[in-house]
């Protein structure tokens, strides 16, 4: 698929932190291909050896007498450049772009000021703590992404093309053209749209449609890429190349949805846009105004430089990323993998949690929900006859009927004859009885009269007739996950609205919502409809967290304020998400929300504490009671205390 150059939006690896004129270039799974998330590129920009070398040189110079005092200044300068080159470069680039007021600019000005007044260790320490904070957050994010990559199988990049002599050749999927015949093995995802030319199988389309019931495919049936072949080998004649296939269309929707995703800056960046110009203005006023009145330029310039050193956001630059490091680490222990700190930060502001249905709230499997016998038969009798007839079928619904009968300890009889009727069901000879099992169309075709009956609330109906007379019906349904009800109640107690977007029927969606307590339900939606409805929900409630697992969920996952995917879901969904729940439990959603709130609470505690101490020392400095060492404590000492506060997250249960 051709990559599209998109402007002014975020991505799962860089969160949109790029030059506005540069834009973001997305790859085929909707993540940024700019290279910002690539480990090798990161190593080139901020190699680990510079952090190690700068730290060792600083500690040797500051703590030992190995380096002579005469050359200590060059040693400090070298350590400063090794540790702070990235900050100085970023500050310079932002000045050229006319966006100077951020944490990099203030650290650069404050540390250069520290050199000017002879406080060399303080200048180097600021850069050291900054690098440590960045390294810790990067390590947490890198580990989280590694776990995601290890837990999923990537989308197949090849197809098995059938040759004229009956042999197969493996070729890249993008090289297949319309007219090629490809072999799709059992368990494989169908790679390209096409028409079945040979074979018969059940196709799982739930990742595309949200409908859990598999579809029978025989010769002449149309199949879509992204569906899963579950029971038999198929030969499929390609009708559309990869660039025009259903999966590609969905992935293109991911790109468009990502372009519409609200762009969010990191907390420290937003904070610095206000804090930095205020500090610079106060420092300039401190240096100039009293000097014009008293004429003591040297004293007030020294005071202003001391003020800059005190106000340097070293504690914030270290402790805020470390808070996210600890938060991401605590979440990963519970199987919740955040792909970046900004996703955790944004999750705190979520006002609505929107779920997909199949595979997210429900298990995506089938069980016998009810047995409704005719007046002259018992439930066990109907279940036993139906299960006996269904023993030879591989259909998931048939397997669920047999499993239920075995669970109840019923003795089944092997059918002496069995015939499947395409799209309707089957008929079988069980003992001395002729048994029909299938949909209503099957019984109508055999002219079997059905009594008046109530419509089932939820699930698929399997009708049973014995010896030409209606015997009863079984209700087969997907099951709600064990923890879904408690999880949704926990989300509601947080004051967050719950909603559901699904491609399933309105009746099925309403039933699940009524059982789980979901507030807002929207059903019968195609992938593009989900994106539009999510935008409506965002306007109605505020920032949205979407939780899904299918290929059809990838666009809405990419476009949500925060997208969360079940780890057992489709590759495209996992790739497009900001958060992955590896255990596929609904209870992970309120847990993630709680962890994000705790993380941001600790980060805010650090901010308030650091600014409070700095304010006290600043006031003391203006009054003539604070030394440079007080300034050092207000920066480095406070940073150390904030670090201790941040790591509390790692020990939270």
């Amino acid at each position: 698929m051709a990559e599209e150059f998109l402007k002014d939006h975020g991505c799962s690896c860089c969160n949109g932190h790029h030059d506005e004129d540069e834009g973001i270039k997305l790859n085929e799974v909707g993540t940024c291909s700019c290279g910002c998330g690539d480990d090798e590129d990161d190593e080139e920009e901020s190699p680990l050896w510079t952090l190690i070398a700068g730290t060792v040189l600083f500690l040797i110079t500051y703590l030992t007498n190995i380096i002579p005092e005469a050359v200590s200044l060059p040693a400090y300068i070298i350590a400063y450049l090794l540790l702070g080159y990235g900050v100085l470069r970023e500050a310079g680039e932002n000045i050229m772009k006319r966006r100077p007021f951020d944490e990099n600019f203030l650290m650069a000005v404050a540390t250069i000021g520290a050199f000017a007044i002879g406080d060399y260790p303080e200048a180097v320490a600021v850069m050291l703590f900054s690098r440590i904070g960045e390294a810790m957050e990067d390590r947490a994010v890198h580990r989280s992404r590694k776990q995601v990559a290890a837990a999923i199988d990537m989308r197949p990049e090849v197809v098995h093309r059938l040759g004229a002599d009956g042999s197969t050749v493996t070729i890249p999927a993008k090289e297949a053209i319309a007219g090629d015949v490809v072999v799709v093995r059992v368990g494989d995802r169908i790679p390209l749209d096409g028409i079945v030319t040979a074979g018969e199988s059940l196709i799982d389309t739930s990742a595309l449609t949200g409908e859990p019931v598999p579809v029978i495919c025989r010769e002449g049936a149309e199949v879509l890429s992204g569906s899963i072949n579950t029971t038999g080998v198929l030969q499929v004649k390609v009708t559309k190349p990869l660039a025009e296939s259903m999966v590609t269309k969905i992935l293109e929707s991911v790109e468009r949805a990502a372009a519409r995703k609200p762009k969010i800056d990191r907390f420290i960046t937003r904070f610095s846009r206000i804090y930095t110009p205020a500090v610079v203005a106060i420092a300039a006023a401190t240096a100039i105004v009293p000097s014009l009145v008293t004429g003591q330029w040297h004293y007030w310039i020294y005071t202003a430089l001391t003020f800059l050193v005190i106000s340097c956001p070293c504690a914030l630059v270290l402790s805020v990323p470390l808070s996210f490091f600890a938060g991401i680490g605590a979440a990963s222990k519970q199987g919740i993998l955040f792909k970046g700190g900004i996703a955790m930060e944004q999750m705190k502001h979520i006002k609505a949690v929107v779920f997909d249905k199949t595979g997210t709230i429900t298990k995506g499997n089938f069980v016998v929900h009810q047995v409704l016998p005719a007046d002259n038969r018992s439930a066990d009798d109907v279940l036993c006859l139906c299960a006996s007839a269904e023993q030879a079928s591989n259909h998931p619904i048939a397997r669920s009927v047999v499993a239920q009968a075995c669970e109840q300890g019923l003795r089944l009889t092997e059918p002496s004859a069995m015939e499947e009727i395409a799209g309707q069901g089957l008929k079988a000879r069980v003992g001395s009885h002729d048994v029909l099992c299938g949909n209503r169309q099957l019984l109508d075709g055999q002219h079997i009269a059905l009594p008046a009956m109530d419509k089932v609330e939820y699930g698929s109906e399997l009708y049973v007739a014995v010896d030409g007379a209606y015997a009863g019906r079984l209700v087969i349904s997907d099951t709600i996950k064990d923890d879904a009800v408690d999880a949704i109640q926990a989300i509601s107690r947080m004051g967050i609205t719950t909603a559901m977007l699904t491609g399933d029927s309105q009746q099925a969606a309403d039933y699940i919502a009524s059982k789980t307590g979901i507030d807002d339900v929207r059903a019968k939606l195609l992938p593009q409809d989900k994106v539009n409805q999510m935008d409506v929900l965002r306007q109605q409630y505020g920032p949205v967290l979407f939780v899904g697992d299918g290929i059809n969920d990838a666009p809405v996952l990419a476009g949500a304020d925060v997208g969360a995917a079940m780890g057992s879901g489709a590759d495209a969904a996992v790739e497009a998400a900001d958060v992955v729940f590896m255990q596929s439990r609904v209870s992970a959603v309120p847990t993630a929300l709680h962890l994000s709130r705790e993380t941001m609470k600790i980060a805010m505690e650090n901010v308030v504490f650091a600014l409070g101490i700095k304010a006290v020392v600043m006031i003391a400095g203006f009054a003539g009671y604070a030394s440079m060492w007080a300034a050092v404590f207000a920066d480095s000492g406070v940073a150390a205390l904030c670090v201790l506060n941040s790591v509390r997250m790692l020990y939270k249960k």
Side-chain angles (χ1 to χ4, degrees):
M1 181 180 69
E3 294 177 336
E4 185 176 354
F5 204 74
L6 300 173
K7 300 256 184 199
D8 296 334
H9 68 274
C11 67
S12 63
C13 56
C14 67
N15 301 303
H17 291 230
H18 288 265
D19 181 15
E20 291 176 357
D21 296 326
E22 179 185 338
I24 307 294
K25 194 176 184 183
L26 294 185
N27 60 27
E28 63 180 5
V29 291
T31 55
C32 179
S33 60
C34 58
C36 63
D38 185 78
D39 297 331
E40 293 180 2
D41 290 350
D42 288 344
E43 289 298 316
E44 289 177 7
E45 291 187 5
S46 300
L48 182 61
W49 73 265
T50 61
L51 173 58
I52 296 172
T55 301
V56 171
L57 182 57
F58 167 62
L59 293 176
I60 290 174
T61 306
Y62 184 61
L63 299 176
T64 71
N65 296 321
I66 296 176
I67 296 179
E69 186 175 347
V71 295
S72 62
L73 176 57
Y76 279 126
I77 292 175
I78 293 172
Y80 174 78
L81 293 176
L82 286 170
L83 295 168
Y85 169 74
V87 171
L88 297 174
R89 184 193 61 192
E90 190 72 22
E93 290 177 353
N94 286 340
I95 290 173
M96 297 298 293
K97 297 171 185 173
R98 300 179 183 177
R99 295 180 305 195
F101 295 120
D102 66 356
E103 68 275 18
N104 297 296
F105 177 79
L106 185 53
M107 282 194 292
V109 172
T111 52
I112 291 172
F115 268 104
I117 60 178
D119 191 22
Y120 315 135
E122 171 67 11
V124 181
V126 168
M127 294 303 185
L128 173 61
F129 287 136
S130 172
R131 283 288 298 276
I132 291 173
E134 290 178 356
M136 288 203 170
E137 184 177 6
D138 288 346
R139 180 171 175 265
V141 172
H142 174 71
R143 184 174 62 185
S144 184
R145 288 190 191 138
K146 283 259 187 184
Q147 287 176 271
V148 171
I152 62 172
D153 295 321
M154 293 297 102
R155 181 169 68 98
E157 296 294 334
V158 298
V159 297
H160 307 291
R161 185 169 62 189
L162 187 65
D165 58 355
S167 62
T168 58
V169 178
T170 301
I171 63 170
K174 63 183 178 181
E175 293 183 8
I177 61 174
D180 283 347
V181 176
V182 298
V183 177
V184 184
R185 298 167 298 190
V186 176
D188 283 354
R189 197 177 296 277
I190 294 173
L192 301 163
D193 297 354
I195 296 174
V196 176
T197 58
E200 179 178 322
S201 181
L202 290 172
I203 302 297
D204 180 0
T205 63
S206 59
L208 294 176
T209 65
E211 174 56 53
V213 180
V215 177
I216 297 176
C217 282
R218 295 184 174 88
E219 185 175 343
E222 182 180 357
V223 291
L224 297 176
S225 56
S227 304
I228 298 175
N229 180 26
T230 63
T231 59
V233 177
L234 295 176
Q235 293 181 13
V236 177
K237 183 178 180 181
V238 176
T239 56
K240 296 178 183 177
L242 183 63
E244 300 174 13
S245 67
M246 176 60 72
V247 166
T248 300
K249 290 177 182 177
I250 291 175
L251 295 177
E252 287 173 345
S253 296
V254 171
E255 292 184 350
R256 290 191 294 270
R260 297 161 62 181
K261 184 170 186 171
K263 184 178 178 180
I264 306 158
D265 289 313
R266 295 181 304 157
F267 165 78
I268 191 65
T269 301
R270 297 195 305 271
F271 174 80
S272 295
R273 286 174 183 162
I274 300 173
Y275 182 72
T276 301
V279 166
V280 172
I282 293 172
T286 301
I288 296 172
V289 176
S291 299
L292 292 174
V293 176
T294 64
Q296 297 178 326
W297 287 92
H298 181 271
Y299 172 81
W300 288 109
I301 289 175
Y302 183 90
T303 301
L305 291 173
T306 303
F307 172 79
L308 280 174
V309 174
I310 295 172
S311 62
C312 182
C314 179
L316 305 180
V317 171
L318 173 61
S319 63
V320 173
L322 189 55
S323 300
F324 291 124
F325 164 78
I328 292 171
S332 67
K333 290 180 181 179
Q334 301 189 50
I336 302 169
L337 306 182
F338 285 87
K339 292 184 180 179
I342 199 166
M344 176 168 275
E345 180 181 340
Q346 180 63 2
M347 193 173 276
K348 175 184 180 292
H349 305 291
I350 291 301
K351 300 298 182 185
V353 176
V354 183
F355 293 93
D356 174 47
K357 183 180 76 68
T358 306
T360 302
I361 296 177
T362 66
K363 296 179 180 179
N365 61 1
F366 298 95
V367 296
V368 176
H369 184 63
Q370 285 180 297
V371 180
L372 303 172
D375 294 337
N376 61 336
R377 291 189 178 272
S378 68
D380 283 354
D381 182 33
V382 173
L383 177 60
C384 183
L385 285 168
C386 183
S388 296
E390 295 278 14
Q391 286 183 91
S393 175
N394 288 322
H395 196 285
I397 288 180
R399 291 198 295 267
S400 71
V401 172
V402 175
Q404 181 66 31
C406 293
E407 185 178 326
Q408 293 184 202
L410 301 179
R411 178 176 292 182
L412 304 184
T413 302
E414 285 289 333
S416 56
M418 194 271 283
E419 177 188 354
E420 289 199 63
I421 302 171
Q424 296 183 20
L426 58 81
K427 58 182 179 180
R429 183 72 178 175
V430 179
S432 60
H433 300 288
D434 291 320
V435 180
L436 292 173
C437 301
N439 56 27
R440 189 162 189 152
Q441 185 181 355
L442 174 65
L443 270 63
D444 289 343
Q446 299 293 320
H447 306 293
I448 295 174
L450 297 176
M453 59 186 76
D454 295 331
K455 191 173 183 180
V456 298
E457 190 176 19
Y458 173 60
S460 302
E461 294 173 291
L462 182 64
Y463 293 89
V464 181
V466 179
D467 297 329
Y470 172 73
R473 55 182 172 150
L474 282 65
V475 180
I476 314 294
S477 62
D478 192 2
T479 52
I480 297 172
K481 289 183 178 179
D482 299 335
D483 62 339
V485 175
D486 290 341
I488 290 168
Q489 289 177 353
I491 294 169
S492 297
R493 286 195 295 269
M494 293 180 179
I496 297 173
T497 301
T498 55
M500 182 166 64
L501 303 180
T502 177
D504 211 342
S505 67
Q506 188 69 52
Q507 180 186 0
D510 289 339
Y511 175 83
I512 294 297
S514 68
K515 293 297 183 182
T516 57
I518 289 176
D519 303 316
D520 195 331
V521 181
R522 311 193 183 194
K524 300 180 71 175
L525 301 175
L526 297 173
Q528 59 269 29
D529 298 329
K530 286 188 176 183
V531 175
N532 295 334
Q533 287 298 318
M534 184 197 63
D535 288 339
V536 172
L537 290 169
R538 179 187 286 131
Q539 293 172 5
Q540 184 174 350
Y541 300 114
V544 170
L545 164 66
F546 181 83
V547 187
D549 75 323
I551 294 174
N552 62 327
D553 295 325
V556 69
L557 283 166
D561 296 272
V562 179
M566 296 295 177
S568 59
D571 304 339
V574 173
E575 287 288 338
D578 304 299
V579 188
V580 179
F581 302 136
M582 298 309 299
Q583 297 176 350
S584 297
R585 295 179 60 83
V586 186
S587 57
V589 179
T591 300
L593 290 165
H594 173 72
L595 285 171
S596 70
R597 292 183 176 188
E598 285 294 308
T599 299
M600 292 308 299
K601 177 184 174 183
I602 288 176
M604 191 55 63
E605 288 172 354
N606 289 340
V607 170
V608 172
F609 176 69
L611 293 182
I613 296 297
K614 287 178 182 292
V616 170
V617 175
M618 286 177 192
I619 294 171
F622 283 124
Y625 295 108
S627 66
M628 180 57 68
W629 282 108
V632 171
F633 170 75
D635 192 44
S636 301
V638 169
L641 294 175
C642 288
V643 166
L644 294 176
N645 186 47
S646 296
V647 297
R648 288 192 299 120
M649 274 298 297
L650 291 172
Y651 301 98
K652 281 190 173 287
K653 302 243 178 166

